[in-house]
Amino acid sequence: MIKPPFTDVVIKKSSSGFYENYCFPIAIGSKCIMVALVLWALLWPKSANNILNSFKWQLLENFNAFYIILFGVFAVFLIAIAVIPSTGKLVMGLPGEKPEYSNFSWFAMMFGAGLGVGLMVFATAEPLGLWASNPEILAQKVEANTIEALRPAYIFTFAHYGFHTWGVFVIAGLAMAYCSYTRGLPLTLRSALTPLIGRYANGFFGHIIDTFGVVATILAVSVTIGFGVSQFLNGVYAITGMEWIMNLSGETPTPSDAGLIAGLVIIMSLSILSAVSGVGKGVKYLSNLNLILSMVLLLTFVIFGSFFFAMTTYGIALVDYILNFLSLSFLAYFPLSEAEFTTALPAVAQPYSNDLFAGATNAWGSYDKFVSGLSSEAATLDEATLLAVYEAGNNGRQFTWQAGWTTFYWAWMVAYAPFVGLFLARISKGRTVREFVIGCVVAPSLVCFAWMTILGATAIDLELSGIANGAISSASNTNKLFITMSYILDGGFLSAMNVVCAVLVLTFLVTTADSGILVMNTIMSGGDQETGIKHRIVWGFVLTGVLGTLLLAAGESNPMEAIQNAMIIGALPFSFILGLMMIAMGKAIYRDHLREKYHAAGLVTAETQL
């Protein structure tokens, strides 16, 4: 007998007072966590930053393989449900229901709320960083910053911004949209787990799931806005030359504390105003503007940048990415112990293993730095032995690099998943499963690839040709885009494009922040898509407070460090929830298929079944 699904999700809300129509435990629980974090960062900034950094590295190292394999499983699952005819045609909504937004607005909103800010910051910074450090370079197969290092650099660039990244958003969004629009459940995180947990979604367990989602959303959005504010200030500095917003004491200009706080206040004020207007107005119109300005920027690089070099890179990198998809999905490295390292050394080098281990396993150094850093006794080893020693440490370098780069990115995406996933679900009612997967995984990934190659390859070509002479590579990540433009444009056109970029960063930031505010309120209101204005304002101030205190806690040397560390820690609990969402989604699709198959035969009972 096939029983109907469990749909009796009841999220208890306050009937009066400030939290009227909101779930009090979720709202208070998430606020208490964030207030505690803010007070800790304010009262003991140095201690908070050091502890967060230490804990972050412990998580990245201990859960490196878990994250890599989890993302691989997500990718395989999405490919399967999109390709299978019976699952791909399922509609997230009632029979005959049409999509709420046009394809243009749908794509514009998912692009703006997804990775718009990240693309502005990292379109040049990511390829350049990986061009200087990637697994092929660590294994000494290619030399850093050469034409040979370009292909592996883009394989991992595409991995960090491609199908794996968007796949984790779609896992969350698809599970929520399916359970909400086809089963009539509230549009919130706990609903996506009802095929597994049933009635437990109504109590304490459901509150914990939603609270984790709110906390992860705040931290992920904070990281994104933190990077974006820094780039916005770089743009304002390039346009106006205002020195007070920048710290000019170092080798390269970086945003000052005063500049960061001023930029943050401007952006969050605009974000709160946009959030108050709702998805159908503020978010929609800003997203459409974002997409138009993005096309202007992209077209500028097509005309004045290294377009042929970029397109050649795009084609080769896309093929390389697809051919290496399985290894990128499932090849996970594990820590290399000193005992294992010593065993792999040539006999003549084993007495010096203590001196050799740290340098040979340092993923952020090089062979030359390893040799130059040896003590006097270890330095007497011949070159062939030293090469063998460095090779013995390769797995250790690969593990540290993967944990500190790929796993860091994917933990960031996990933290971003409740936000982007719920937002994708919010704007995708009436879409089929196949349309959702292709539209929210393949299409934005291809656009991200284009950004990374057209902008990033132009920067690399300027460095390869010697025109930039290291100026782009040595600039801060948030300033690389503006430095790159200064080499391909000049005069009034350069000034105009600096303005376009600054406005684009600003609108992306506002879109990201107001989308985050709306999503947090949707979760805390038990899935209501039209939430109270006063709570949107309050959570806008909470988000501003979290960002401001964590930026100040880290200091001007690395203002993003504390926010990144907190985000990585906050992402771990939600990674387990995402895995359960995927299982729940698979079970729901399978059980609904059976119900449809046997309904005509009268084999469906009135009793509920997960």
Side-chain angles (χ1 to χ4, degrees), residues 176-300:
M176 286 186 277
Y178 187 84
C179 289
S180 177
Y181 299 140
T182 64
R183 295 187 171 187
L185 299 178
L187 183 60
T188 189
L189 301 169
R190 69 177 74 188
S191 296
L193 292 178
T194 53
L196 290 181
I197 64 176
R199 60 186 176 85
Y200 291 105
N202 291 334
F204 176 77
F205 192 55
H207 296 335
I208 291 295
I209 293 168
D210 287 340
T211 300
F212 278 145
V214 172
V215 171
T217 297
I218 294 172
L219 294 173
V221 171
S222 295
V223 171
T224 301
I225 294 175
F227 278 120
V229 169
S230 296
Q231 188 174 45
F232 174 67
L233 292 175
N234 277 294
V236 173
Y237 178 66
I239 297 166
T240 66
M242 289 191 296
E243 295 185 357
W244 68 271
I245 63 174
M246 303 296 288
N247 176 15
L248 303 175
S249 60
E251 293 182 6
T252 57
T254 57
S256 65
D257 283 346
L260 287 170
I261 298 303
L264 181 62
V265 169
I266 293 171
I267 288 160
M268 292 308 301
S269 298
L270 294 173
S271 300
I272 292 170
L273 290 174
S274 180
V276 166
S277 69
V279 174
K281 294 181 180 178
V283 176
K284 177 182 175 181
Y285 296 144
L286 280 175
S287 296
N288 290 345
L289 176 62
N290 289 343
L291 197 57
I292 293 170
L293 291 178
S294 297
M295 293 302 102
V296 171
L297 176 60
L298 205 61
L299 187 61
T300 300

Side-chain angles (χ1 to χ4, degrees), residues 101 104-114 270-291 419 423 426-427 507-519 536:
Y101 299 101
F104 181 85
S105 291
W106 181 54
F107 183 78
M109 285 190 285
M110 81 169 72
F111 183 71
L270 294 173
S271 300
I272 292 170
L273 290 174
S274 180
V276 166
S277 69
V279 174
K281 294 181 180 178
V283 176
K284 177 182 175 181
Y285 296 144
L286 280 175
S287 296
N288 290 345
L289 176 62
N290 289 343
L291 197 57
F419 159 45
F423 188 79
R426 168 67 181 83
I427 63 175
T507 54
F508 269 136
L509 283 168
V510 173
T511 305
T512 298
D514 63 15
S515 300
I517 293 168
L518 291 169
V519 164
R536 300 180 200 174

Side-chain angles (χ1 to χ4, degrees), residues 52 120 124 149-150 162 181 197 265 288 303 365 380 385 426 470 509 537:
L52 287 172
M120 289 298 293
T124 48
L150 187 64
Y181 299 140
I197 64 176
V265 169
N288 290 345
I303 296 173
T380 62
T385 301
R426 168 67 181 83
L509 283 168
I537 296 173

Side-chain angles (χ1 to χ4, degrees), residues 19-32:
Y19 288 102
E20 183 179 1
N21 295 323
Y22 276 70
C23 181
F24 185 77
I26 302 173
I28 290 298
S30 53
K31 282 181 181 177
C32 286

Side-chain angles (χ1 to χ4, degrees), residues 445-460:
S445 293
L446 294 177
V447 172
C448 288
F449 297 163
W451 270 76
M452 291 291 176
T453 48
I454 294 175
L455 275 66
T458 294
I460 290 176

Side-chain angles (χ1 to χ4, degrees), residues 88-111:
K89 68 180 181 181
L90 293 173
V91 177
M92 292 175 295
L94 301 176
E97 194 161 19
K98 300 298 182 182
E100 183 178 0
Y101 299 101
S102 68
N103 288 337
F104 181 85
S105 291
W106 181 54
F107 183 78
M109 285 190 285
M110 81 169 72
F111 183 71

